[in-house]
Amino acid sequence: MAETTDQKTGPIAIVMAVGGLYVAQSVIGGITWIGLPAVMREEGLPLDLLSLLSLIALPWALKFLWAPAIERFRLPPQGRNRSGIVVMIGGGISVLGLVIAGFVGLHSVPLIIAMLTVVAFAAATVDIAVDGFAVEALPRAQHGWANAAQVGGAYLGSALGGGLFLVLVSYLGWMKAVPLMALFLVALGAPFLFRMQFPTRERPHTPSLKAALRRPEIRKGLLAAGVYVLAQKGGMMMLGPLLVDAGLSLETIGLVNGLAGLSVGLVAALAGGALVRRLGPRPVLVLALALQSIALGFFSLYDFFPGLPNWLLACFAVASGSAIMALGFVALYAQFMRWSDVRQGGIDFTLFQSMDAGISMLGGLVAGFVSSHFGYGTFFGMAAIVALCAVPAMAMIVGGQPAAVTESGAEEPA
């Protein structure tokens, strides 16, 4: 039986509440993978050391291991929905971890990585609960709103974590900027804890990894996630350091990632949603990969031909990190939803996200090594080739429309 909220809680309130949590999770990601590498590079840390930050993605890569346990705790066979408890505990750990990382300062990189890994574990656990709650609390006809909140929240949070955070660091310093962002996370999570209703239900179905991995759609989705994420995100870890080494200040990079990235990313996400509704995910995925290969090729040329203007570099950075990423990932998430079993969408979607995080982590490690030893030009050139090769690969993997799984477990044409 699908979960429903109290009649006083309408779909808009639900979307706003879960959207706030999606923004909060992406603020953490923006600080970790966009803001922190730029700050550390300005402090003079070597590129191969910065690549260790990609290890913070490990909890996101492995969260499928504890997703079934979280779901069984969150949705007991009989009793109250415990989504609020998961969010409260996980959110509290995230805020506390950020505060500690702020007071530690930049002089102890291993301790910062350790604290942010704990924060990532808590945020990844919250994400399992939020995805499941959104699917259950909203009627299926309105699941698109949850997807819009997820994608839009991701780019808004990334822009704030990678943009606003850098501006705060530039003016206030690390030790003041990080606790301020932690307080911001509290404000983003409050509507979910205080406005959502968590009803009591009987729940006969028990979600499991075994049921997910038996389905060919899940295996196809995992392959698609691996190929697409490697091609799209492979160069992102080194984009911030490239901008720093090009002479752009943290304030300028913050404005590029923040104001410009936010506005362009949201427009691109809306455009991606419209294109997916009209054309389906497959052509949008192919288009985004082709555009990303062009952007990555430009970054390579910029390193080999340093006379190119910085304003052009900033424009390509916004296009690559915001517009193209938003366009493509709206289509990717839409395809993930089509491959997911509605009876355990949280676990299926978690599997896809774990593959995303695992490939991002490995790509970050390789990015730091290649850039440090062979230069930005070689690294971004290789990344451009990977993105170009992914175009026909994704076209073949996605193929036609998958079958939809009904509440009874039967498959019917989508």
Side-chain angles (χ1 to χ4, degrees), residues 257-304:
N257 290 336
L259 183 60
L262 171 60
S263 56
V264 172
L266 289 179
V267 170
L270 292 174
L275 288 173
V276 167
R277 286 193 295 271
R278 184 176 181 84
L279 304 175
R282 183 183 181 187
V284 182
L285 290 168
V286 168
L287 173 63
L289 286 170
L291 292 175
Q292 192 66 277
S293 69
I294 295 173
L296 293 169
F298 171 81
F299 299 141
S300 178
L301 289 175
Y302 180 88
D303 187 62
F304 287 127

Side-chain angles (χ1 to χ4, degrees), residues 195-341:
R195 295 194 61 184
M196 292 299 97
Q197 302 291 327
F198 306 107
T200 299
R201 292 284 185 272
E202 291 186 2
R203 306 174 183 90
H205 177 67
T206 302
S208 70
L209 283 175
K210 184 177 180 180
L213 295 175
R214 277 201 302 258
R215 299 180 59 237
E217 290 84 2
I218 299 301
R219 298 193 293 270
K220 182 186 292 186
L222 292 173
L223 176 61
V227 171
Y228 191 82
V229 170
L230 178 64
Q232 278 283 12
K233 291 186 177 180
M236 292 302 102
M237 178 65 79
M238 290 297 108
L239 185 53
L242 173 66
L243 296 177
V244 171
D245 289 349
L248 277 68
S249 67
L250 286 183
E251 182 180 1
T252 301
I253 298 172
L255 292 174
V256 168
N257 290 336
L259 183 60
L262 171 60
S263 56
V264 172
L266 289 179
V267 170
L270 292 174
L275 288 173
V276 167
R277 286 193 295 271
R278 184 176 181 84
L279 304 175
R282 183 183 181 187
V284 182
L285 290 168
V286 168
L287 173 63
L289 286 170
L291 292 175
Q292 192 66 277
S293 69
I294 295 173
L296 293 169
F298 171 81
F299 299 141
S300 178
L301 289 175
Y302 180 88
D303 187 62
F304 287 127
F305 301 97
L308 294 172
N310 279 354
W311 65 264
L312 188 59
L313 173 64
C315 290
F316 268 89
V318 172
S320 175
S322 296
I324 300 172
M325 291 279 284
L327 180 73
F329 274 91
V330 167
L332 187 66
Y333 290 157
Q335 187 62 50
F336 285 168
M337 284 189 171
R338 296 185 180 194
W339 277 326
S340 296
D341 183 338

Side-chain angles (χ1 to χ4, degrees), residues 46-62:
L47 294 176
D48 52 356
L49 181 59
L50 295 186
S51 68
L52 294 178
L53 294 176
S54 61
L55 293 174
I56 299 172
L58 190 59
W60 290 91
L62 298 178

Side-chain angles (χ1 to χ4, degrees), residues 383-404:
I385 293 173
V386 170
L388 195 59
C389 292
V391 171
M394 281 300 295
M396 289 188 293
I397 293 170
V398 174
Q401 297 299 320

